[in-house]
């Protein structure tokens, strides 16, 4: 295992270090809270000569993603970052990046979408891009944000994958909170990430290619199948890259983390920083003799449905916590996917849903405690609402 | 810099035939003229629109140079990314083929440039990328069915601002994009047309040779959207210049230069009458619209003469 430095960094700083260690050729950036600090830190690295990345300081997020696409199509390793409305503005080109199979790495520092305007954390921004063709990694802490940011390059650039990767971490809760983490040396990180060899480049004027043609009824579908298949192949790549990173860093990652889950009778499923709070509450219930557990999803796209169904099989009740609403839908986006993954699966548990933490509403111990209490009731056969709200004044 | 036809004919034709341009399209001529000048070491990005659609229907491509299309409003940002990648990869010795210089050209129609792509263009020009933006201005959203754009002339009939019983086409004058680009203080900006191929080639060459950003606005007569006989595209470009509706000029480091001065003033009517989109202007009662168009052309021409240090057309 590699020697590592114990450091105190915010999530934004940690990701900036990871991006620096990956030595991207190009970074495109446009300011939006709470992502800004990450690019400030990265720009400092560039200004001080610690990394020789060319920065494109664009006039909008739409251009940030457009410039990223142009640079990646030229064969560059490219990073960018955004949040919330910025992600919404780049949305059109987010799809283009995946369609052109460009392994851009983007920090999506999760923040509520407008309106009303709100700068704090929820996952509504990421959920808006869940069908765009990117790989989505979610993080619980600054450590995970750093680790996932390094692994993102290896996953996205893998010849079997060639897809852009989003590193999601919670606005302010992770991005702006100083945390203690272990960081690889620049040499070890570079040995792990390695140089990037693009599959194609528009700079190869001796072998000219046309990128992004008009693709009609006779071929478009097949090209979309290419993206579908790449997501299927990504599972093995995520696992292999994570295993290699685990051996290097001592921090193992999989599609999700199972926390006291194996023998649990009731389980919570969620993504992001709330996992830390949930682990405390699970511990408290365990001390009371309640067999509670947590499944913290790291890989949201591609969605590891089979593994998730297997991990939750036979539970007496499962509660999915969504930090996003899907207006008019029956429950939050994570809930509908988890429940769908479990439908028809072996020993299918009942699945309930809680929508929580919108616009940065704090999710405290009591809220998660109430979820576990309700799951315990459900496990005993007590009926109630399937889709619920948490921590809201009604 | 003089460009001769003989020179150009020796260059490779980098736009393959068989593309899907309409019969009589002058846009494909613009592309060919640009590529004859720019040569093989060129990366070209084009906005969604006629020129992208006619050249790239998968699995075919008319481009014999590297080409990228991403979306409607972002060809400037996209090419700025490729240009930045060129510098970044070159610095590390990682270019796929070793080159000291590659030409970067972004293109868009008037919709993709005057309207939806203006922000992206403005940003790329301000950032100083070593690239040339070429607008092919056919004065409306032709690819989507001749809708009005901010480049559409006053009084023109379009599908979203049609001439009818109570309205007579577009009610606003067009945006002066070339001057908006000049106001970015970029080292080179120019206007030209494909009829003036020598002028166009010289301007493309100058723009490519100028370090930093450059902008060229090319009038592209459109047989479908303007409703003229398909053989008359080049003639429409010629008359546009002779009427002073589309003067040939360039601005180098802030200095205006007039590239062509018509021997005598041709009234705007000569340009209007050949085009179906202005047909309604010749109905009784619409004389004021033509007068207003002429007034604006004259005023703009006087302004350009002043800027270029030329004597006034009508002495004060």
């Amino acid at each position: 295992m590699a020697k590592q430095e114990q450091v105190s960094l915010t999530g934004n700083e940690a990701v900036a270090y990871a991006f620096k260690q990956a030595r991207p050729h190009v970074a495109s950036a446009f300011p939006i809270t709470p992502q800004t600090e990450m690019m400030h830190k990265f720009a400092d690295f560039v200004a001080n000569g610690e990394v020789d990345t060319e920065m494109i300081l664009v006039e909008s997020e739409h251009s940030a993603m457009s410039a990223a696409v142009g640079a990646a199509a030229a064969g560059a390793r490219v990073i960018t970052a955004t949040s919330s409305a910025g992600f919404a503005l780049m949305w059109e080109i987010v799809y283009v990046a995946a369609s052109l199979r460009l392994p851009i790495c983007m920090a999506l520092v999760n923040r509520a979408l407008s309106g009303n305007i709100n700068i704090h954390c929820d996952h509504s921004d990421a959920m808006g891009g869940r069908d765009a063709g990117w790989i989505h990694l979610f993080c619980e802490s600054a450590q995970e944000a750093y680790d996932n940011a390094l692994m993102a390059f290896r996953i996205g650039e893998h010849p079997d994958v060639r897809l852009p990767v989003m590193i999601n971490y919670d606005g302010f809760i992770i991005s702006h909170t100083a945390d203690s983490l272990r960081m690889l040396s620049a040499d070890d990180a570079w040995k792990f990430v390695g140089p990037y060899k693009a599959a194609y480049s528009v700079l190869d004027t001796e072998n000219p290619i046309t990128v992004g043609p008009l693709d009609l009824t006779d071929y478009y579908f097949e090209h979309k199948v290419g993206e579908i298949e790449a997501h299927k192949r990504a599972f093995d790549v995520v696992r292999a890259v994570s295993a290699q990173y685990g051996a290097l860093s001592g921090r193992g990652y999989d599609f999700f983390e199972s926390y006291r889950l194996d023998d649990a009778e009731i389980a919570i499923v969620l993504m992001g920083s709330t996992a830390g709070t949930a682990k405390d509450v699970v511990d408290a219930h365990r001390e009371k003799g309640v067999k509670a557990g947590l499944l913290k999803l790291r890989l949201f796209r591609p969605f590891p449905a089979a593994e998730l169904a297997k991990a939750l099989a036979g539970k007496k009740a499962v509660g999915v916590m969504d930090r996003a609403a899907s207006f008019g839908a029956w429950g939050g986006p994570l809930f509908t996917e988890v429940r769908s993954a479990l439908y028809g699966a072996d020993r299918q548990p009942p699945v309930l849903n809680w929508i929580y933490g919108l616009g940065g509403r704090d999710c405290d111990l009591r809220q998660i405690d109430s979820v576990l209490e309700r799951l315990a009731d459900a496990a005993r056969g007590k009926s109630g609402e399937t889709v619920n709200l948490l921590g809201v004044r009604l | 810099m003089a460009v001769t036809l003989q020179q150009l004919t020796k260059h490779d034709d980098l736009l393959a035939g068989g593309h899907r341009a309409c019969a009589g399209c002058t846009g494909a001529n613009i592309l060919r003229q640009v590529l004859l000048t720019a040569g093989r070491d060129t990366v070209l990005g084009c906005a969604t629109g006629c020129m992208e659609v006619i050249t790239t229907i998968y699995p075919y491509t008319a481009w014999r140079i590297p080409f990228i299309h991403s979306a409607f409003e972002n060809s400037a940002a996209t090419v700025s990314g490729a240009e930045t990648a060129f510098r970044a990869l070159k610095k590390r010795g990682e270019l796929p083929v070793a080159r000291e210089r590659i030409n970067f050209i972004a293109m868009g129609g008037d919709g993709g440039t005057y309207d939806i792509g203006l922000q992206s263009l403005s940003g790329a020009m301000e950032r100083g990328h070593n690239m040339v933006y070429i607008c092919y201005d056919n004065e409306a959203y032709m690819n989507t069915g001749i809708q009005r754009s901010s480049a559409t002339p006053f009084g023109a009939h379009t599908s979203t601002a049609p001439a009818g019983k109570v309205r007579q086409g577009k009610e606003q004058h067009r945006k002066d994009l070339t001057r908006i680009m000049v106001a970015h203080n970029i080292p080179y900006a120019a206007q030209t047309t494909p009829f003036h191929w020598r002028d166009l080639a010289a301007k493309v060459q100058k723009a490519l040779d100028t370090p930093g950003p450059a902008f060229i606005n090319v009038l592209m007569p459109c047989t479908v959207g303007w409703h003229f006989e398909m053989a008359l595209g080049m003639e429409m470009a010629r008359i546009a210049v002779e009427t002073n509706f589309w003067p040939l000029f360039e601005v180098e480091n802030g200095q205006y230069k007039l590239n062509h001065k018509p021997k005598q003033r041709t009234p705007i009517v000569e340009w209007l009458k050949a085009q179906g989109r202005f047909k309604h202007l010749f109905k009784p009662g619409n004389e004021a619209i033509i007068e207003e168009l002429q007034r604006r052309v004259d005023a703009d021409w006087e302004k350009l003469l002043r800027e270029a240090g030329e004597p006034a057309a009508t002495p004060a």
Side-chain angles (χ1 to χ4, degrees):
Chain A
M1 205 171 76
K3 194 163 169 267
Q4 291 168 79
E5 196 186 349
Q6 189 80 31
V7 292
S8 172
L9 297 171
T10 65
N12 273 337
E13 290 170 335
V15 171
Y17 273 100
F19 281 175
K20 179 182 79 163
Q21 291 179 328
R23 300 184 200 171
H25 298 98
V26 173
S28 63
F30 185 80
I32 185 168
T33 303
Q35 155 274 149
T36 36
E37 224 191 18
M38 199 284 286
M39 275 299 175
H40 296 174
K41 188 76 184 167
F42 189 82
D44 280 344
F45 293 144
V46 173
N48 292 322
E50 294 178 48
V51 64
D52 67 347
T53 304
E54 291 291 334
M55 296 195 71
I56 315 181
L57 304 173
V58 287
E59 80 302 326
S60 72
E61 288 90 353
H62 194 282
S63 285
M65 187 50 64
S66 300
V69 163
R77 175 176 281 165
V78 184
I79 60 156
T80 187
T82 193
S83 297
S84 179
F87 183 60
L89 184 59
M90 58 168 70
W91 196 73
E92 176 195 23
I93 313 303
V94 168
Y95 275 72
V96 174
S99 303
L100 297 182
R101 310 294 295 276
L102 301 171
I104 297 160
C105 286
M106 175 162 73
L108 183 61
V109 188
N110 302 117
R111 161 182 159 180
L113 283 173
S114 298
N116 298 331
I117 189 167
N118 175 298
I119 59 168
H120 293 285
C121 172
D122 70 31
H123 296 163
S124 53
D125 52 4
M127 291 301 115
R130 70 184 189 270
D131 298 332
W134 288 54
I135 289 173
H136 285 241
L137 302 171
F138 277 81
C139 311
E140 179 187 336
S141 61
Q143 179 75 70
E144 292 194 3
Y146 169 80
D147 293 338
N148 279 326
L150 277 180
M151 283 183 271
F153 296 93
R154 288 284 306 281
I155 295 166
E157 292 169 5
H158 194 284
D160 289 348
V161 178
R162 289 172 52 204
L163 288 171
V165 183
M166 241 176 258
I167 305 110
N168 290 274
Y169 55 98
D170 288 350
F172 291 105
I173 302 165
I174 296 175
S175 69
H176 282 61
T177 309
D179 205 349
S180 177
L181 64 143
R182 286 160 68 77
M183 199 164 74
L184 293 170
S185 71
D187 281 351
D188 286 330
W190 180 247
K191 268 183 224 152
F192 173 76
V193 177
Y196 169 51
K197 182 80 181 77
Y200 64 83
S201 167
V202 293
L203 301 181
D204 186 354
T205 54
E206 288 175 9
N207 299 287
I209 53 165
T210 289
V211 177
L214 179 61
D215 200 12
L216 299 174
T217 49
D218 47 357
Y219 286 99
Y220 177 90
F221 202 164
E222 282 72 22
H223 292 144
K224 291 296 122 179
V225 172
E227 287 179 69
I228 292 169
E229 293 301 319
H231 271 270
K232 287 183 191 165
R233 290 193 297 270
F235 288 119
D236 283 347
V237 173
V238 169
R239 219 161 227 172
V241 169
S242 303
Q244 199 190 333
Y245 190 80
L248 177 70
S249 67
R251 293 180 295 279
Y253 288 89
D254 205 336
F255 302 156
F256 47 79
E257 179 190 347
S258 299
Y259 184 79
R260 307 186 86 161
L261 188 67
D262 289 352
D263 69 334
E265 293 177 345
I266 55 173
I268 289 175
V269 178
L270 54 70
M271 302 189 292
S273 63
T274 309
T277 317
K279 285 172 183 173
D280 268 11
V281 181
V282 164
D283 288 348
H285 279 253
R286 284 277 179 173
E287 276 168 32
K288 289 191 285 183
V290 179
K291 287 188 172 175
L294 170 74
L295 188 153
K296 179 190 79 188
L297 190 63
R298 170 200 180 212
L299 183 69
F300 177 65
R301 283 288 181 271
F303 192 75
E307 292 78 3
L308 196 137
K310 203 173 153 200
L312 297 174
K315 305 299 175 208
K316 290 183 178 167
V318 170
V320 179
M321 291 177 62
D322 266 289
R323 200 157 196 161
S326 178
F327 304 105
W330 189 55
L334 184 58
F335 164 72
T336 54
E337 300 233 7
V338 170
R339 195 170 160 115
S340 173
L342 288 167
Y343 184 81
D346 182 39
R347 294 179 295 143
Q348 174 190 336
V351 186
L352 308 181
N353 185 212
W354 280 268
I355 290 162
Y356 78 101
L358 300 189
R361 176 66 51 86
D362 192 28
C363 183
D364 59 19
L365 298 164
R366 281 172 306 173
Q367 289 178 31
I368 298 175
D369 193 63
S370 74
V371 169
L372 283 176
E373 293 293 342
R374 173 81 169 74
L375 288 176
D377 284 347
R380 285 191 290 269
K382 195 175 164 192
S383 62
E385 288 294 320
T386 303
V387 178
N388 306 275
L389 302 171
L390 194 59
V392 68
R393 294 185 301 278
L394 291 171
Chain B
M1 177 182 17
V3 177
T4 67
L5 193 58
Q6 198 183 15
Q7 273 174 344
L8 289 183
T9 54
K10 285 180 189 157
H11 294 183
D12 298 325
D13 200 346
L14 298 173
L15 188 78
H19 55 71
R20 269 88 157 186
C22 304
C25 174
T26 63
N29 296 75
I30 296 170
L31 297 184
R32 288 186 66 204
Q33 291 177 20
V34 167
L35 295 183
L36 281 173
T37 311
R40 285 188 186 276
D41 280 336
T42 300
V43 176
L44 192 145
C46 192
T48 309
C50 289
M51 292 305 109
E52 168 259 334
V53 166
I54 63 157
T55 54
T56 72
I57 301 182
Y58 190 88
Y60 303 105
T61 180
W63 299 95
R64 292 176 174 142
I65 58 161
F67 173 87
I68 182 166
H69 161 259
S70 166
F72 198 175
E73 67 282 57
N74 68 350
S75 78
T78 305
V79 172
S80 84
E83 186 269 346
T84 307
F86 172 73
R87 284 184 279 116
L89 288 159
K90 190 177 166 203
K91 190 165 63 180
R92 293 191 196 171
E94 296 175 6
L95 286 172
V97 288
R99 290 287 185 276
E100 259 316 296
R101 168 181 154 177
I102 286 182
N103 299 318
F104 290 92
I105 300 176
M107 283 191 111
D110 50 293
T113 308
Y114 284 66
D115 287 350
I116 195 168
L118 182 63
Q119 175 182 315
S120 170
L121 169 62
S122 175
M125 295 290 109
E126 181 272 335
R127 292 193 299 275
H129 295 277
N130 191 20
M131 61 184 268
V132 179
Y133 192 101
I134 298 174
C135 174
Y136 59 94
D137 179 0
N138 51 30
E139 305 196 316
Y141 291 84
M142 298 313 183
N143 187 49
T144 45
I146 320 170
Q147 294 86 6
R148 162 261 202 239
S149 79
S150 63
T152 304
F154 182 75
H157 165 94
T158 56
S159 47
T160 48
K165 285 180 182 151
V166 297
R167 291 181 185 267
Q168 302 303 321
K170 194 182 173 195
E171 295 173 349
Q172 302 82 19
H173 283 287
R174 69 200 167 91
K175 186 189 280 181
D176 192 345
L177 182 66
T178 308
R179 279 190 175 76
I180 293 171
M181 289 301 109
V182 171
H184 282 66
N185 294 319
I186 54 176
Y188 189 75
Q191 274 192 188
T192 188
T193 89
F195 174 80
H196 307 83
W197 58 269
R198 198 193 301 265
D199 183 75
L200 187 149
K203 283 172 176 169
V204 170
Q205 191 64 57
K206 197 180 272 190
L208 291 170
D209 289 343
T210 302
F215 174 82
I216 303 176
N217 207 351
V218 187
L219 187 72
M220 185 202 125
C222 171
T223 175
V224 176
W226 295 11
H227 298 280
F228 56 74
E229 285 295 321
M230 63 175 75
L232 295 179
M234 291 302 168
E235 182 63 5
M236 288 301 112
R238 189 188 69 81
I239 306 176
V241 172
E242 293 305 313
T243 56
N244 298 332
F245 176 84
W246 191 266
L248 303 183
F249 68 96
E250 61 191 339
V251 186
E252 270 184 275
N253 298 312
Q255 294 296 309
Y256 279 76
K257 184 184 172 190
L258 197 60
N259 305 111
H260 173 79
K261 206 169 173 181
K263 288 197 175 61
Q264 60 185 47
R265 176 177 170 274
T266 306
I268 192 69
V269 171
E270 295 304 310
W271 191 58
L272 305 180
K273 69 184 186 190
Q275 301 176 43
R277 62 176 172 160
F278 296 117
K279 191 173 63 183
H280 58 288
L281 300 189
F282 296 93
K283 284 184 191 161
N286 283 343
E287 296 81 0
I289 298 173
I290 295 180
E291 283 164 24
E292 170 57 19
L293 257 169
Q294 185 67 63
R295 188 199 62 75
R296 184 61 176 256
V297 166
D298 292 345
D300 287 349
W301 177 245
E302 291 289 353
K303 187 175 158 201
L304 180 61
L305 290 175
R306 278 197 305 278
E307 286 162 329
E310 299 276 346
T314 49

